[in-house]
Amino acid sequence: MTFVNPQFFWVTIVPFMVLAFLLSTNKERLSRVFDEKVLKRLSAADESMPLMMRNLMMFFAIFLMIVALARPVIEKGEKSVHLQGLTLLSALDISGSMRSTDVYPNRLTFAKTKMAQFFDAMPSDTIGVVAFAYSPFVLAPFASDKETLKMMVEGVDDSYISMGSTDFEALGTLASNLLEKKQPKVLVLFSDGGDKKAIANFANTLKESDIDLYVVLVGSKKGAPVLDAKGRPLKQKDGTIAITQRNDALGALAKELGGAYVIAGNGEKDMQNLASLIHTKYKYQEQGEVKVKERVELFYYPLGLGVLLLLIALSSAPRRREK
């Protein structure tokens, strides 16, 4: 038998022994703490159990509780546990074009909704979240708590949007670093797209890092005006209103890298299908394993006995008086 938390035993046993010694050798000091009438009521002199026996039971009960805190166990060695579920990285586009309103209420809000649906479709998987535009950053570390992830994504509002150009290469570098020790390496991108020139270096980085890309495209091919922070359409140098359209080049890149893409629509079916596709592809791939110790817990034996003795010691069962 061993103790998982032996520090509890050694930290508490010394004060316990000092307390037991003081109470057993300085009984007269109780009169300094309690009023005489109160002390008389608390006295066990007229009760069925001798005071010394009562004290011994109480001290032994406390000692057993200390032993329970130290958590006694019987070690049975280690066993391998195979991890279930995938570990993947998701990325949310926060570039200026995500303010466009060709999907309701705008592309950013619509993309966040699709991300939440995707998280719900991956209940047993571990997901990390990054946001990207000119400079990508980690929005949420890898976690399996989907409600927390959804809360973090929901907190991304219009103030996060960057009007600078989208740097896909920087996103690729960050994804490569975050997924370096993961297997398989999966990146799920929520974006309104990017042209071939903008994603050229991004494609090279993903290929070098052996990252599979999946893309959820938001927006329409018809497009909508690019809006500023106040919701006003931006104009180009020639005075015409700037229009942004969904660019499907990212989808083509995803297929090239062994992944897939979907055009986000209403309802949850598209995200469920995407999650099913990802699970099917990596179903038979080893996700790794961890070593865990097998133990037989024994703490409830001293704890139960200690509580029982404490109840007996604190009980008040008076003697039968002769008539």
Side-chain angles (χ1 to χ4, degrees):
M1 184 182 72
T2 59
F3 292 93
V4 177
N5 303 312
Q7 66 272 16
F8 284 105
F9 182 80
W10 300 115
V11 167
T12 57
I13 196 64
V14 174
F16 166 73
M17 294 179 66
V18 172
L19 176 64
F21 175 78
L22 292 176
L23 290 178
S24 61
T25 59
N26 295 275
K27 298 175 185 176
E28 71 280 359
R29 293 189 179 182
L30 291 174
S31 61
R32 302 178 187 178
V33 179
F34 297 101
D35 182 83
E36 183 177 352
K37 294 182 179 180
V38 175
L39 187 60
K40 186 177 181 179
R41 287 179 176 273
L42 293 175
S43 175
D46 294 332
E47 295 177 356
S48 60
M49 184 182 298
L51 180 61
M52 181 177 294
M53 178 65 70
R54 187 179 295 274
N55 287 341
L56 286 175
M57 290 184 67
M58 187 176 296
F59 292 149
F60 189 55
I62 296 174
F63 173 77
L64 289 174
M65 292 181 182
I66 293 174
V67 173
L69 279 174
R71 195 179 162 194
V73 297
I74 296 176
E75 298 284 359
K76 300 185 70 176
E78 292 185 340
K79 69 175 181 178
S80 298
V81 176
H82 293 275
L83 299 178
Q84 300 296 320
L86 297 169
T87 299
L88 51 88
L89 182 66
S90 62
L92 176 63
D93 190 344
I94 55 171
S95 60
S97 60
M98 295 296 283
R99 282 198 183 100
S100 297
T101 57
D102 51 350
V103 291
Y104 182 81
N106 57 48
R107 293 181 183 178
L108 177 62
T109 303
F110 191 72
K112 293 194 299 180
T113 300
K114 303 313 290 185
M115 287 191 83
Q117 293 172 359
F118 179 72
F119 295 159
D120 288 337
M122 308 283 285
S124 61
D125 303 287
T126 301
I127 302 176
V129 185
V130 301
F132 71 97
Y134 179 72
S135 179
F137 60 91
V138 176
L139 189 63
F142 290 102
S144 57
D145 184 352
K146 304 308 186 300
E147 293 305 316
T148 299
L149 292 179
K150 288 193 287 186
M151 183 177 65
M152 297 297 293
V153 171
E154 185 59 32
V156 177
D157 56 26
D158 189 75
S159 63
Y160 280 75
I161 288 180
S162 171
M163 296 306 295
S165 59
T166 305
D167 191 345
F168 283 97
E169 184 177 2
L171 171 63
T173 301
L174 178 61
S176 178
N177 292 334
L178 294 175
L179 294 170
E180 182 179 6
K181 297 182 179 180
K182 308 298 182 183
Q183 196 61 240
K185 300 178 182 180
V186 180
L187 173 63
V188 183
L189 197 58
F190 293 78
S191 174
D192 56 3
D195 57 49
K196 291 184 178 180
K197 183 178 180 181
I199 65 176
N201 292 330
F202 177 56
N204 292 333
T205 301
L206 297 184
K207 288 178 182 178
E208 291 173 359
S209 302
D210 195 27
I211 296 175
D212 292 344
L213 178 64
Y214 294 83
V215 178
V216 178
L217 293 167
V218 297
S220 65
K221 293 297 289 184
K222 181 180 179 181
V226 180
L227 305 178
D228 62 15
K230 296 182 179 180
R232 298 174 299 191
L234 293 177
K235 293 183 178 180
Q236 303 182 79
K237 293 181 179 180
D238 60 3
T240 59
I241 294 177
I243 302 294
T244 174
Q245 300 171 309
R246 187 190 76 232
N247 193 315
D248 295 347
L250 272 176
L253 175 61
K255 295 186 70 174
E256 181 183 337
L257 294 175
Y261 76 96
V262 296
I263 297 174
N266 295 321
E268 302 179 5
K269 193 67 175 178
D270 51 355
M271 294 300 98
Q272 293 172 354
N273 289 339
L274 177 61
S276 178
L277 177 66
I278 293 174
H279 282 144
T280 299
K281 179 174 180 179
Y282 305 106
K283 182 176 182 180
Y284 300 106
Q285 189 157 347
E286 180 64 48
Q287 302 304 317
E289 63 180 24
V290 293
K291 298 286 187 180
V292 295
K293 291 183 177 180
E294 282 193 286
R295 292 167 172 163
V296 177
E297 296 285 353
L298 302 175
F299 74 91
Y300 35 80
Y301 293 114
L303 180 61
L305 181 58
V307 171
L308 177 62
L309 291 177
L310 188 62
L311 290 174
I312 295 173
L314 294 176
S315 64
S316 179
R319 290 194 185 100
R320 289 184 177 179
R321 297 183 178 181
E322 296 181 358
K323 294 182 179 180

